Amino acid sequence: MKIGSTCSITKVGGEGALRQHFLDMGVIPGAQVTIIKYAPLGDPVELMIHGYQLTLRLADAEKIEVDPIDSSSETEHKKAPVNTSIHPGLGEGGKFHQKGHANPLPECEILTFALVGNQNSGKTTLFNQLTGSNQHVGNFPGVTVDRKDGSIKGYPDTRVTDLPGIYSMSPYSSEEIVSRNFVMNDKPKAIINIVDATNIQRNLYLTMQLLEMNVPMVVALNMMDEITTNGGSIDVNKMEAALGVPVVPISAAKNQGIHELIEHAIHIAKYQEKPLRQDFCDENDHNGAVHRGIHAVIHLIEDHAKSADIPVRFAASKVIEGDSLVLDKLALDENEKETIEHIVLQMEKERKLDRSAAIADMRYSFIKKICSAFVHKPGKSKESIRSEKIDRILTGKWTAIPLFIVIMFVISFLTFNVIGGTLQGLLEKGIDALTALTDSALTSLGVNEVLHGLIIDGIFAGVGSVLSFLPIIVTLFFFLSLLEDSGYIARVAFFMDKLLRRIGLSGRSIVPMLIGFGCTVPAVMSTRTLPSERDRKMTILLTPFMSCTAKMPIYAFFVDAFFPKYKALILTGLYLLGIVISILIALVFKRTIFKGEAVPFVMELPNYRLPSAKNVGQLLWEKAKDFLHRAFTVIFIATIIIWLLQSFGPHFNLVTNQHDSILAIIAGWLAPLMIPVGLGDWRICTALISGFMAKESVVSTLDILYGQDITSVMTAASAASLLVFSLLYTPCVAAIASIRRELGIKWALGVVLWQCFIAWTAALIVHLISMLF
Ligand code: GDP
Ligand code: MG
């Protein structure tokens, strides 16, 4: 199909969860799609459907059959904007929602809210506004991978849970299961459904399924600022009447309407006001085929749904869709199952659509009806025009990949040379001055020599050497969050998909990898957005090879000491080496333990949005705090332990020669293993062991142990080998813990061993090569 051509979908092929996902994303028979562009490498393709951008692989797109249509005849009829004077300000509560005061919950009960909505609808932004906390906000599908709790500001008896974004109640990836299970099993007192008003059609699809849950609910119509500035309007009162729940227009980013939202949310939860409407099937649509089907099933399974404690309307639509989880819970007997099968077959025959498509179509027809009545969409929003312009360059056929490389290069240059480097120099001077000051103070006070040593050679040397990396780490996170928050990383996933598929992954895996350059822990967690176990495992095993910020101090320390002339070259080389090795490993995986194809790539491309300074600031503050916390806990303790172990011998006697210390003895057992790679010195072994606690402490440990210029005690060859070894060997404890959480203890231990093995082999090669010079 040509770029810019519009067609109407006639049939959606494929099967199973992927097909359901297509349908849930609005790819249903009758919907219109416009081809926007192909990725620079020719695959995947970007489409416009229901007013938002979706990316698909060509292979998956082939399963969708389309009929060309004349785009001129199908233009949406223009409506006059709704008289906005009815809604002068955002957040004015609907007129329709009459607050009742029947059946209040007892005073002491905690009001629990689930914050549910599509990805990128602004859930986390709203959560932060509601609770006043600093969760990470991102403009990439799936930034919230775990649920987070907090109480609403000023209402201590409430608890709001921020859930991962979902498109429907049929879970597709493991994070989506978290959200569905929360709503189904944790039974929140009320749901706050956040709807992206700029993308209202697809967002309401989830709303309709949430209404079926029969839980008190309020719709927060977010991003209203973008609607109003573009001259659009939404008749909130009519929408409330149609949906039967309060609808509050808000702008989470601008903190507008939040107060009203809270008021409505607390009210419906307190008085348990359930949705007034759950029945959206139209009895006149195709002779009511779907309507009759659903209602027949509802009556049939009513008793089972009650005893299984599942809302009956929700159970009925899931049964028709063939959701095995719900079917199992209902425990229907054979006869009932057969009856349902007959009902569904009849429905399919009359509606001329299969079961899943028929249900999806029913929902989208209702949405279409209400949207055409209440939503006045401006032609094209400023934001989407801006996004298109940016995309023409950033995902352009010839510019995308070169620009990606340039952007990465500029970021590393700015981080390591300009901003990070300068600030780091200043900080180092400060720390040195402070150390000297403390040193002379301690001397003049005549402090005991051991204590003096502990403070200056232990704590100051250890913690100080790590602390000076704060600027670099904060700068790197600043750029990463900028990329993510602006929506660029989603584009990277789009144009890198084809390349990543070569190594058996999908474009989505690029996100954990990029986050891995910051820290492996969140990177491993973010793999939950990947819809297949295979992709998830593979990505988790590869992320530790991305050089995390904690490895920076090691690189910088040795490069500065041994190869100052080639600083940029070697640093870049190390980063690239990690990437190259992970590609090689992926290729091996693809042919051995992870045979098969990567998951389909179905993803929404959000509009580019300018990240708010507040959000970025908050994130940086969090990261800095986190780093300082580590420096003063883990690394602080590690430096003290190491100092003690190296100062005392096996009989707790103060040693004069470090060779007799406990540390030397322990590390001595390991040292023979490391001789072939040129790292047989017990002090290096100790440093590497301490690096298992936190990578930064490799440097601090060496600082304590050598206590003198490193170049006089180590050769350049072993420095090179050490650099490679520390790039590749086992991730730190925190990362291993998060791998264990995702994949279990066996995999976690496996990662430790096999990365040490890879690191050893690579270091051996480097050592042998460098011996030649
Ligand atoms: P989540 O994925 O649903 O948690 O969404 P986020 O809270 O991470 O927000 C996604 C993007 O939408 C971010 O770039 C936000 O800055 C932006 N955003 C959130 N709320 C609003 C809003 O009310 N107006 C505008 N213009 N942007 C918003
Ligand atoms: Mg979020």
Side-chain angles (χ1 to χ4, degrees):
M1 277 173 64
K2 270 211 315 280
I3 290 177
S5 59
T6 301
C7 340
S8 153
I9 297 174
T10 52
K11 193 169 159 233
V12 182
E15 55 193 25
L18 171 65
R19 180 164 190 272
Q20 186 67 48
H21 192 53
F22 274 157
L23 296 169
D24 292 340
M25 299 288 284
V27 183
I28 49 169
Q32 286 182 22
V33 283
T34 310
I35 307 287
I36 299 180
K37 69 160 53 151
Y38 294 92
L41 298 169
D43 193 15
V45 58
E46 185 184 337
L47 313 165
M48 174 73 90
I49 185 162
H50 294 295
Y52 76 96
Q53 279 126 293
L54 182 73
T55 66
L56 292 178
R57 290 214 184 110
L58 292 180
D60 297 322
E62 263 164 24
K63 295 180 189 137
I64 302 168
E65 289 171 23
V66 291
D67 263 351
I69 48 169
D70 185 7
S71 52
S72 59
S73 68
E74 280 285 341
T75 45
E76 259 182 51
H77 50 283
K78 284 261 175 288
K79 271 190 318 301
V82 181
N83 182 0
T84 44
S85 66
I86 307 170
H87 282 282
L90 295 180
E92 178 187 330
K95 306 276 188 296
F96 166 78
H97 176 221
Q98 299 289 335
K99 290 187 177 126
H101 289 275
N103 342 306
L105 289 173
E107 272 307 321
C108 52
E109 191 117 18
I110 297 236
L111 299 177
T112 49
F113 295 94
L115 198 55
V116 193
N118 280 188
Q119 290 172 356
N120 283 314
S121 55
K123 288 179 304 302
T124 307
T125 316
L126 177 62
F127 179 81
N128 289 348
Q129 296 286 12
L130 289 176
T131 61
S133 76
N134 318 330
Q135 295 299 343
H136 181 191
V137 175
N139 194 8
F140 180 81
V143 166
T144 308
V145 285
D146 218 351
R147 35 181 271 210
K148 292 176 193 96
D149 296 323
S151 64
I152 298 179
K153 260 188 288 186
Y155 298 89
D157 292 343
T158 54
R159 197 174 70 235
V160 188
T161 305
D162 181 20
L163 294 168
I166 50 175
Y167 292 108
S168 88
M169 290 295 275
S170 323
Y172 183 59
S173 68
S174 64
E175 50 148 10
E176 297 190 16
I177 297 172
V178 173
S179 303
R180 163 165 152 158
N181 284 351
F182 185 82
V183 176
M184 264 178 71
N185 307 336
D186 287 34
K187 306 238 174 281
K189 292 281 179 304
I191 296 174
I192 299 176
N193 173 217
I194 180 158
V195 165
D196 175 356
T198 58
N199 200 342
I200 191 161
Q201 299 194 358
R202 203 206 52 227
N203 277 253
L204 283 178
Y205 186 79
L206 175 67
T207 307
M208 295 182 63
Q209 296 181 51
L210 291 173
L211 288 171
E212 290 182 346
M213 299 301 300
N214 200 27
V215 175
M217 184 164 118
V218 52
V219 170
L221 205 53
N222 194 26
M223 314 250 183
M224 280 306 281
D225 53 326
E226 285 192 15
I227 293 280
T228 41
T229 51
N230 289 303
S233 65
I234 294 174
D235 192 326
V236 177
N237 292 339
K238 286 199 189 134
M239 203 168 134
E240 281 194 340
L243 294 176
V245 289
V247 176
V248 187
I250 63 166
S251 166
K254 304 221 157 100
N255 199 9
Q256 288 167 336
I258 308 295
H259 188 72
E260 284 78 1
L261 177 66
I262 293 176
E263 196 183 293
H264 280 284
I266 290 191
H267 186 88
I268 53 149
K270 182 85 196 160
Y271 298 99
Q272 287 295 298
E273 289 181 13
K274 300 208 166 141
L276 299 177
R277 179 166 183 192
Q278 295 180 5
D279 193 18
F280 300 103
C281 38
D282 187 346
E283 56 185 36
N284 300 319
D285 179 39
H286 290 80
N287 271 326
V290 177
H291 164 76
R292 281 178 285 117
I294 292 180
H295 285 269
V297 174
I298 287 180
H299 292 307
L300 193 66
I301 62 167
E302 210 162 4
D303 51 336
H304 289 267
K306 225 172 234 149
S307 54
D309 201 14
I310 306 176
V312 62
R313 164 91 195 188
F314 174 74
S317 35
K318 287 289 143 201
V319 163
I320 295 178
E321 283 174 352
D323 186 302
S324 56
L325 257 155
V326 172
L327 271 171
D328 287 347
K329 275 202 177 164
L330 287 177
L332 300 168
D333 67 32
E334 278 313 310
N335 198 21
E336 284 166 314
K337 280 186 193 158
E338 237 168 72
T339 316
I340 290 174
E341 194 55 29
H342 284 298
I343 296 173
V344 174
L345 279 176
Q346 187 61 27
M347 181 193 84
E348 290 184 325
K349 199 171 125 203
E350 288 182 34
R351 184 62 188 80
K352 297 191 188 69
L353 280 178
D354 68 286
R355 51 198 76 190
S356 310
I359 297 284
D361 175 75
M362 178 271 291
R363 297 199 182 113
Y364 270 109
S365 328
F366 175 79
I367 292 171
K368 213 167 163 188
K369 217 163 27 186
I370 66 167
C371 284
S372 67
F374 315 140
V375 179
H376 167 74
K377 265 206 164 166
K380 223 176 205 180
S381 73
K382 245 184 11 227
E383 286 77 12
S384 67
I385 294 173
R386 187 181 64 195
S387 278
E388 265 171 42
K389 275 194 193 142
I390 301 176
D391 260 344
R392 228 171 280 155
I393 303 170
L394 284 185
T395 65
K397 195 167 169 56
W398 302 111
T399 44
I401 292 175
L403 272 177
F404 175 62
I405 295 170
V406 169
I407 289 174
M408 289 297 141
F409 180 79
V410 168
I411 287 179
S412 49
F413 179 76
L414 286 179
T415 308
F416 299 125
N417 286 26
V418 184
I419 306 174
T422 323
L423 286 177
Q424 190 189 14
L426 282 177
L427 203 62
E428 256 170 6
K429 280 203 188 94
I431 292 171
D432 283 348
L434 194 66
T435 311
L437 204 70
T438 321
D439 197 4
S440 55
L442 289 175
T443 317
S444 65
L445 282 175
V447 175
N448 167 311
E449 206 167 293
V450 181
L451 191 62
H452 189 153
L454 173 65
I455 294 175
I456 298 299
D457 305 330
I459 299 170
F460 268 79
V463 177
S465 60
V466 171
L467 221 50
S468 64
F469 287 95
L470 183 64
I472 289 195
I473 285 162
V474 171
T475 323
L476 197 60
F477 269 112
F478 169 75
F479 286 118
L480 272 180
S481 75
L482 217 58
L483 292 185
E484 190 175 286
D485 212 0
S486 65
Y488 181 61
I489 291 193
R491 269 73 183 182
V492 177
F494 168 62
F495 63 69
M496 294 293 272
D497 181 63
K498 194 168 178 185
L499 283 180
L500 280 163
R501 207 140 45 113
R502 295 245 169 86
I503 61 168
L505 289 172
S506 86
R508 275 179 173 263
S509 297
I510 198 88
V511 182
M513 305 265 184
L514 285 180
I515 297 178
F517 285 110
C519 174
T520 313
V521 176
V524 167
M525 271 175 63
S526 70
T527 58
R528 286 188 208 161
T529 56
L530 303 176
S532 95
E533 262 321 285
R534 174 188 166 280
D535 279 32
R536 228 159 66 80
K537 276 198 183 126
M538 213 164 141
T539 312
I540 288 178
L541 296 182
L542 298 181
T543 40
F545 293 105
M546 306 300 125
S547 295
C548 71
T549 42
K551 291 178 192 163
M552 240 331 278
I554 312 181
Y555 300 165
F557 181 75
F558 283 98
V559 174
D560 275 342
F562 290 95
F563 321 101
K565 272 192 209 141
Y566 308 104
K567 184 167 179 177
L569 190 73
I570 293 184
L571 284 181
T572 321
L574 283 167
Y575 275 74
L576 286 180
L577 182 67
I579 298 172
V580 168
I581 291 204
S582 71
I583 291 174
L584 292 178
I585 290 172
L587 286 174
V588 174
F589 277 165
K590 193 182 155 197
R591 289 189 174 72
T592 54
I593 41 178
F594 296 116
K595 284 209 177 89
E597 263 298 299
V599 279
F601 183 70
V602 188
M603 201 175 80
E604 177 195 355
L605 290 186
N607 276 348
Y608 284 101
R609 292 203 164 89
L610 207 62
S612 81
K614 190 173 153 214
N615 277 332
V616 175
Q618 272 176 350
L619 177 80
L620 294 188
W621 170 233
E622 286 291 304
K623 293 292 168 198
K625 232 170 42 183
D626 203 45
F627 179 79
L628 289 175
H629 183 79
R630 272 161 69 82
F632 284 103
T633 53
V634 185
I635 297 168
F636 181 77
I637 292 168
T639 50
I640 293 185
I641 293 177
I642 299 231
W643 185 84
L644 287 174
L645 290 178
Q646 59 120 10
S647 307
F648 291 93
H651 309 294
F652 299 105
N653 49 324
L654 205 58
V655 291
T656 40
N657 188 339
Q658 286 184 348
H659 274 281
D660 307 326
S661 67
I662 306 180
L663 196 59
I665 296 169
I666 300 175
W669 297 329
L670 266 179
L673 263 180
M674 302 298 281
I675 290 174
V677 296
L679 303 174
D681 190 322
W682 66 272
R683 286 167 289 204
I684 296 177
C685 294
T686 315
L688 290 173
I689 295 171
S690 71
F692 183 53
M693 298 292 142
K695 285 288 153 81
E696 302 94 327
S697 52
V698 170
V699 176
S700 53
T701 308
L702 285 176
D703 245 356
I704 300 172
L705 293 183
Y706 281 122
Q708 53 173 309
D709 187 14
I710 191 94
T711 43
S712 58
V713 281
M714 250 175 107
T715 61
S718 46
S721 146
L722 182 65
L723 280 173
V724 171
F725 192 85
S726 37
L727 160 67
L728 301 172
Y729 88 119
T730 174
C732 69
V733 172
I736 291 294
S738 68
I739 294 177
R740 195 198 63 123
R741 217 168 33 232
E742 300 301 319
L743 299 181
I745 184 79
K746 272 193 208 144
W747 283 93
L749 289 178
V751 167
V752 174
L753 293 178
W754 98 288
Q755 283 203 201
C756 284
F757 170 73
I758 292 176
W760 192 85
T761 319
L764 183 67
I765 296 171
V766 170
H767 190 60
L768 291 178
I769 294 174
S770 56
M771 299 278 271
L772 296 177
F773 293 103

